[in-house]
mmCIF file of all heavy atoms in Angstrom:
data_model
loop_
_atom_site.group_PDB
_atom_site.id
_atom_site.type_symbol
_atom_site.label_atom_id
_atom_site.label_comp_id
_atom_site.label_asym_id
_atom_site.label_seq_id
_atom_site.Cartn_x
_atom_site.Cartn_y
_atom_site.Cartn_z
ATOM 1 N N ALA S 36 81.553 87.607 123.280
ATOM 2 C CA ALA S 36 82.312 88.385 122.297
ATOM 3 C C ALA S 36 82.649 89.736 122.888
ATOM 4 O O ALA S 36 81.854 90.367 123.591
ATOM 5 C CB ALA S 36 81.457 88.572 121.050
ATOM 6 N N PHE S 37 83.877 90.204 122.643
ATOM 7 C CA PHE S 37 84.304 91.470 123.215
ATOM 8 C C PHE S 37 84.158 92.644 122.250
ATOM 9 O O PHE S 37 84.377 93.786 122.595
ATOM 10 C CB PHE S 37 85.748 91.365 123.749
ATOM 11 C CG PHE S 37 86.738 90.823 122.758
ATOM 12 C CD1 PHE S 37 87.414 91.652 121.883
ATOM 13 C CD2 PHE S 37 87.014 89.472 122.712
ATOM 14 C CE1 PHE S 37 88.328 91.165 120.975
ATOM 15 C CE2 PHE S 37 87.938 88.942 121.821
ATOM 16 C CZ PHE S 37 88.581 89.812 120.942
ATOM 17 N N LEU S 38 83.787 92.365 120.990
ATOM 18 C CA LEU S 38 83.499 93.398 120.016
ATOM 19 C C LEU S 38 82.080 93.308 119.544
ATOM 20 O O LEU S 38 81.518 92.200 119.422
ATOM 21 C CB LEU S 38 84.437 93.277 118.806
ATOM 22 C CG LEU S 38 85.902 93.492 119.005
ATOM 23 C CD1 LEU S 38 86.664 93.155 117.725
ATOM 24 C CD2 LEU S 38 86.186 94.922 119.377
ATOM 25 N N GLY S 39 81.463 94.431 119.278
ATOM 26 C CA GLY S 39 80.115 94.428 118.704
ATOM 27 C C GLY S 39 80.199 94.267 117.200
ATOM 28 O O GLY S 39 81.263 94.003 116.604
ATOM 29 N N ASP S 40 79.064 94.442 116.560
ATOM 30 C CA ASP S 40 79.002 94.267 115.084
ATOM 31 C C ASP S 40 79.889 95.281 114.360
ATOM 32 O O ASP S 40 80.620 94.936 113.437
ATOM 33 C CB ASP S 40 77.570 94.437 114.591
ATOM 34 C CG ASP S 40 76.678 93.277 115.040
ATOM 35 O OD1 ASP S 40 77.235 92.201 115.408
ATOM 36 O OD2 ASP S 40 75.455 93.449 115.040
ATOM 37 N N VAL S 41 79.817 96.537 114.787
ATOM 38 C CA VAL S 41 80.620 97.574 114.149
ATOM 39 C C VAL S 41 82.116 97.338 114.399
ATOM 40 O O VAL S 41 82.942 97.496 113.532
ATOM 41 C CB VAL S 41 80.193 98.976 114.600
ATOM 42 C CG1 VAL S 41 81.072 100.053 114.035
ATOM 43 C CG2 VAL S 41 78.732 99.228 114.232
ATOM 44 N N GLY S 42 82.450 96.926 115.618
ATOM 45 C CA GLY S 42 83.848 96.639 115.946
ATOM 46 C C GLY S 42 84.380 95.503 115.110
ATOM 47 O O GLY S 42 85.526 95.563 114.617
ATOM 48 N N GLU S 43 83.580 94.465 114.942
ATOM 49 C CA GLU S 43 83.987 93.328 114.090
ATOM 50 C C GLU S 43 84.239 93.780 112.664
ATOM 51 O O GLU S 43 85.227 93.388 112.043
ATOM 52 C CB GLU S 43 82.898 92.234 114.073
ATOM 53 C CG GLU S 43 82.951 91.315 115.221
ATOM 54 C CD GLU S 43 81.948 90.172 115.071
ATOM 55 O OE1 GLU S 43 81.222 90.112 114.033
ATOM 56 O OE2 GLU S 43 81.878 89.340 115.967
ATOM 57 N N MET S 44 83.348 94.619 112.153
ATOM 58 C CA MET S 44 83.483 95.097 110.794
ATOM 59 C C MET S 44 84.758 95.916 110.625
ATOM 60 O O MET S 44 85.499 95.715 109.662
ATOM 61 C CB MET S 44 82.274 95.959 110.388
ATOM 62 C CG MET S 44 82.400 96.509 108.975
ATOM 63 S SD MET S 44 81.424 97.960 108.630
ATOM 64 C CE MET S 44 82.017 99.125 109.836
ATOM 65 N N LEU S 45 85.061 96.785 111.592
ATOM 66 C CA LEU S 45 86.229 97.601 111.518
ATOM 67 C C LEU S 45 87.518 96.780 111.622
ATOM 68 O O LEU S 45 88.507 97.069 110.900
ATOM 69 C CB LEU S 45 86.214 98.706 112.589
ATOM 70 C CG LEU S 45 85.114 99.748 112.384
ATOM 71 C CD1 LEU S 45 85.098 100.708 113.580
ATOM 72 C CD2 LEU S 45 85.309 100.503 111.097
ATOM 73 N N VAL S 46 87.526 95.778 112.469
ATOM 74 C CA VAL S 46 88.695 94.924 112.589
ATOM 75 C C VAL S 46 88.904 94.114 111.324
ATOM 76 O O VAL S 46 90.029 94.011 110.854
ATOM 77 C CB VAL S 46 88.554 94.012 113.843
ATOM 78 C CG1 VAL S 46 89.624 92.920 113.855
ATOM 79 C CG2 VAL S 46 88.616 94.826 115.121
ATOM 80 N N LEU S 47 87.848 93.589 110.761
ATOM 81 C CA LEU S 47 87.984 92.837 109.483
ATOM 82 C C LEU S 47 88.410 93.750 108.361
ATOM 83 O O LEU S 47 89.227 93.356 107.519
ATOM 84 C CB LEU S 47 86.670 92.125 109.171
ATOM 85 C CG LEU S 47 86.693 91.145 108.021
ATOM 86 C CD1 LEU S 47 87.746 90.068 108.242
ATOM 87 C CD2 LEU S 47 85.345 90.529 107.811
ATOM 88 N N LEU S 48 87.912 94.986 108.321
ATOM 89 C CA LEU S 48 88.324 95.939 107.329
ATOM 90 C C LEU S 48 89.799 96.263 107.459
ATOM 91 O O LEU S 48 90.519 96.314 106.461
ATOM 92 C CB LEU S 48 87.476 97.217 107.441
ATOM 93 C CG LEU S 48 87.851 98.359 106.498
ATOM 94 C CD1 LEU S 48 87.519 97.960 105.065
ATOM 95 C CD2 LEU S 48 87.106 99.613 106.893
ATOM 96 N N ALA S 49 90.256 96.465 108.690
ATOM 97 C CA ALA S 49 91.683 96.736 108.925
ATOM 98 C C ALA S 49 92.556 95.575 108.468
ATOM 99 O O ALA S 49 93.581 95.766 107.834
ATOM 100 C CB ALA S 49 91.931 97.040 110.394
ATOM 101 N N ALA S 50 92.128 94.331 108.784
ATOM 102 C CA ALA S 50 92.886 93.158 108.346
ATOM 103 C C ALA S 50 92.943 93.078 106.822
ATOM 104 O O ALA S 50 94.004 92.780 106.256
ATOM 105 C CB ALA S 50 92.272 91.888 108.916
ATOM 106 N N SER S 51 91.845 93.381 106.166
ATOM 107 C CA SER S 51 91.815 93.331 104.708
ATOM 108 C C SER S 51 92.710 94.410 104.096
ATOM 109 O O SER S 51 93.451 94.134 103.152
ATOM 110 C CB SER S 51 90.379 93.531 104.199
ATOM 111 O OG SER S 51 89.541 92.549 104.700
ATOM 112 N N ILE S 52 92.674 95.623 104.628
ATOM 113 C CA ILE S 52 93.491 96.692 104.109
ATOM 114 C C ILE S 52 94.985 96.369 104.298
ATOM 115 O O ILE S 52 95.802 96.552 103.406
ATOM 116 C CB ILE S 52 93.124 98.039 104.756
ATOM 117 C CG1 ILE S 52 91.737 98.477 104.249
ATOM 118 C CG2 ILE S 52 94.170 99.107 104.489
ATOM 119 C CD1 ILE S 52 91.175 99.667 104.951
ATOM 120 N N LEU S 53 95.349 95.900 105.499
ATOM 121 C CA LEU S 53 96.738 95.543 105.759
ATOM 122 C C LEU S 53 97.213 94.429 104.810
ATOM 123 O O LEU S 53 98.336 94.459 104.320
ATOM 124 C CB LEU S 53 96.918 95.124 107.205
ATOM 125 C CG LEU S 53 96.838 96.266 108.225
ATOM 126 C CD1 LEU S 53 96.737 95.710 109.630
ATOM 127 C CD2 LEU S 53 98.046 97.167 108.085
ATOM 128 N N PHE S 54 96.344 93.459 104.547
ATOM 129 C CA PHE S 54 96.693 92.355 103.638
ATOM 130 C C PHE S 54 96.923 92.893 102.219
ATOM 131 O O PHE S 54 97.880 92.512 101.543
ATOM 132 C CB PHE S 54 95.616 91.294 103.647
ATOM 133 C CG PHE S 54 95.910 90.130 102.761
ATOM 134 C CD1 PHE S 54 96.839 89.175 103.154
ATOM 135 C CD2 PHE S 54 95.274 89.976 101.560
ATOM 136 C CE1 PHE S 54 97.118 88.096 102.359
ATOM 137 C CE2 PHE S 54 95.551 88.907 100.729
ATOM 138 C CZ PHE S 54 96.483 87.960 101.137
ATOM 139 N N VAL S 55 96.056 93.750 101.761
ATOM 140 C CA VAL S 55 96.193 94.331 100.422
ATOM 141 C C VAL S 55 97.473 95.146 100.317
ATOM 142 O O VAL S 55 98.201 95.047 99.316
ATOM 143 C CB VAL S 55 94.962 95.170 100.032
ATOM 144 C CG1 VAL S 55 95.203 95.976 98.795
ATOM 145 C CG2 VAL S 55 93.743 94.272 99.852
ATOM 146 N N VAL S 56 97.785 95.938 101.340
ATOM 147 C CA VAL S 56 98.998 96.715 101.333
ATOM 148 C C VAL S 56 100.233 95.775 101.251
ATOM 149 O O VAL S 56 101.178 96.026 100.516
ATOM 150 C CB VAL S 56 99.088 97.638 102.551
ATOM 151 C CG1 VAL S 56 100.473 98.255 102.726
ATOM 152 C CG2 VAL S 56 98.042 98.736 102.452
ATOM 153 N N ALA S 57 100.199 94.691 102.028
ATOM 154 C CA ALA S 57 101.334 93.758 102.035
ATOM 155 C C ALA S 57 101.507 93.141 100.639
ATOM 156 O O ALA S 57 102.641 93.020 100.151
ATOM 157 C CB ALA S 57 101.096 92.680 103.079
ATOM 158 N N ILE S 58 100.432 92.744 100.019
ATOM 159 C CA ILE S 58 100.524 92.114 98.701
ATOM 160 C C ILE S 58 101.005 93.103 97.648
ATOM 161 O O ILE S 58 101.837 92.781 96.814
ATOM 162 C CB ILE S 58 99.151 91.518 98.299
ATOM 163 C CG1 ILE S 58 98.766 90.402 99.244
ATOM 164 C CG2 ILE S 58 99.146 91.042 96.838
ATOM 165 C CD1 ILE S 58 99.754 89.266 99.307
ATOM 166 N N LEU S 59 100.531 94.345 97.709
ATOM 167 C CA LEU S 59 100.945 95.354 96.750
ATOM 168 C C LEU S 59 102.449 95.714 96.931
ATOM 169 O O LEU S 59 103.152 95.923 95.954
ATOM 170 C CB LEU S 59 100.094 96.605 96.862
ATOM 171 C CG LEU S 59 98.676 96.480 96.375
ATOM 172 C CD1 LEU S 59 97.887 97.754 96.634
ATOM 173 C CD2 LEU S 59 98.647 96.143 94.889
ATOM 174 N N LYS S 60 102.898 95.734 98.179
ATOM 175 C CA LYS S 60 104.314 95.983 98.426
ATOM 176 C C LYS S 60 105.188 94.839 97.883
ATOM 177 O O LYS S 60 106.224 95.060 97.290
ATOM 178 C CB LYS S 60 104.589 96.202 99.906
ATOM 179 C CG LYS S 60 104.161 97.568 100.408
ATOM 180 C CD LYS S 60 104.515 97.773 101.850
ATOM 181 C CE LYS S 60 105.942 97.865 102.145
ATOM 182 N NZ LYS S 60 106.645 99.067 101.731
ATOM 183 N N LYS S 61 104.728 93.595 98.096
ATOM 184 C CA LYS S 61 105.491 92.449 97.557
ATOM 185 C C LYS S 61 105.544 92.497 96.036
ATOM 186 O O LYS S 61 106.560 92.182 95.426
ATOM 187 C CB LYS S 61 104.876 91.144 98.037
ATOM 188 C CG LYS S 61 105.232 90.783 99.446
ATOM 189 C CD LYS S 61 104.785 89.364 99.749
ATOM 190 C CE LYS S 61 105.127 88.987 101.158
ATOM 191 N NZ LYS S 61 106.487 88.472 101.277
ATOM 192 N N GLU S 62 104.426 92.838 95.433
ATOM 193 C CA GLU S 62 104.372 92.926 93.973
ATOM 194 C C GLU S 62 105.311 94.020 93.468
ATOM 195 O O GLU S 62 106.007 93.844 92.462
ATOM 196 C CB GLU S 62 102.949 93.194 93.521
ATOM 197 C CG GLU S 62 102.748 93.176 92.030
ATOM 198 C CD GLU S 62 101.298 93.312 91.622
ATOM 199 O OE1 GLU S 62 100.428 92.815 92.359
ATOM 200 O OE2 GLU S 62 101.067 93.947 90.589
ATOM 201 N N ALA S 63 105.348 95.174 94.132
ATOM 202 C CA ALA S 63 106.213 96.253 93.734
ATOM 203 C C ALA S 63 107.665 95.855 93.915
ATOM 204 O O ALA S 63 108.505 96.193 93.060
ATOM 205 C CB ALA S 63 105.899 97.521 94.553
ATOM 206 N N ASP S 64 107.992 95.179 94.980
ATOM 207 C CA ASP S 64 109.377 94.705 95.186
ATOM 208 C C ASP S 64 109.792 93.729 94.106
ATOM 209 O O ASP S 64 110.898 93.811 93.588
ATOM 210 C CB ASP S 64 109.537 94.058 96.580
ATOM 211 C CG ASP S 64 109.440 95.057 97.699
ATOM 212 O OD1 ASP S 64 109.588 96.288 97.441
ATOM 213 O OD2 ASP S 64 109.261 94.621 98.851
ATOM 214 N N ARG S 65 108.904 92.822 93.760
ATOM 215 C CA ARG S 65 109.210 91.855 92.692
ATOM 216 C C ARG S 65 109.408 92.558 91.360
ATOM 217 O O ARG S 65 110.290 92.219 90.599
ATOM 218 C CB ARG S 65 108.095 90.817 92.609
ATOM 219 C CG ARG S 65 108.407 89.746 91.599
ATOM 220 C CD ARG S 65 107.352 88.732 91.441
ATOM 221 N NE ARG S 65 107.090 88.064 92.713
ATOM 222 C CZ ARG S 65 106.012 87.350 92.981
ATOM 223 N NH1 ARG S 65 105.080 87.219 92.059
ATOM 224 N NH2 ARG S 65 105.872 86.789 94.149
ATOM 225 N N LYS S 66 108.565 93.575 91.115
ATOM 226 C CA LYS S 66 108.683 94.304 89.866
ATOM 227 C C LYS S 66 110.011 95.071 89.801
ATOM 228 O O LYS S 66 110.630 95.141 88.754
ATOM 229 C CB LYS S 66 107.500 95.268 89.756
ATOM 230 C CG LYS S 66 107.268 95.832 88.403
ATOM 231 C CD LYS S 66 105.993 96.637 88.378
ATOM 232 C CE LYS S 66 105.581 96.907 86.961
ATOM 233 N NZ LYS S 66 104.313 97.632 86.907
ATOM 234 N N ASN S 67 110.441 95.644 90.925
ATOM 235 C CA ASN S 67 111.694 96.358 90.960
ATOM 236 C C ASN S 67 112.902 95.425 90.792
ATOM 237 O O ASN S 67 113.898 95.817 90.227
ATOM 238 C CB ASN S 67 111.841 97.140 92.269
ATOM 239 C CG ASN S 67 110.919 98.354 92.302
ATOM 240 O OD1 ASN S 67 110.520 98.862 91.254
ATOM 241 N ND2 ASN S 67 110.564 98.818 93.462
ATOM 242 N N LYS S 68 112.799 94.216 91.328
ATOM 243 C CA LYS S 68 113.888 93.241 91.165
ATOM 244 C C LYS S 68 114.062 92.812 89.721
ATOM 245 O O LYS S 68 115.170 92.520 89.279
ATOM 246 C CB LYS S 68 113.632 91.997 92.024
ATOM 247 C CG LYS S 68 114.021 92.163 93.449
ATOM 248 C CD LYS S 68 113.894 90.847 94.170
ATOM 249 C CE LYS S 68 114.345 90.956 95.593
ATOM 250 N NZ LYS S 68 114.215 89.705 96.312
#
């Protein structure tokens, strides 16, 4: 593995945050339409 425990946690946190932002943007776009 090239990441340690903390690195894994930060990468998973980043993926989760980016996913939530994408979903919220799609929801806002749908609401505006």
Side-chain angles (χ1 to χ4, degrees):
F37 51 89
L38 294 172
D40 291 341
V41 176
E43 276 186 2
M44 179 202 59
L45 292 175
V46 169
L47 189 57
L48 177 67
S51 300
I52 289 171
L53 288 168
F54 181 76
V55 168
V56 168
I58 296 302
L59 289 175
K60 284 183 68 73
K61 281 190 180 275
E62 185 175 325
D64 290 343
R65 184 181 300 163
K66 195 173 194 178
N67 287 337
K68 279 187 178 180

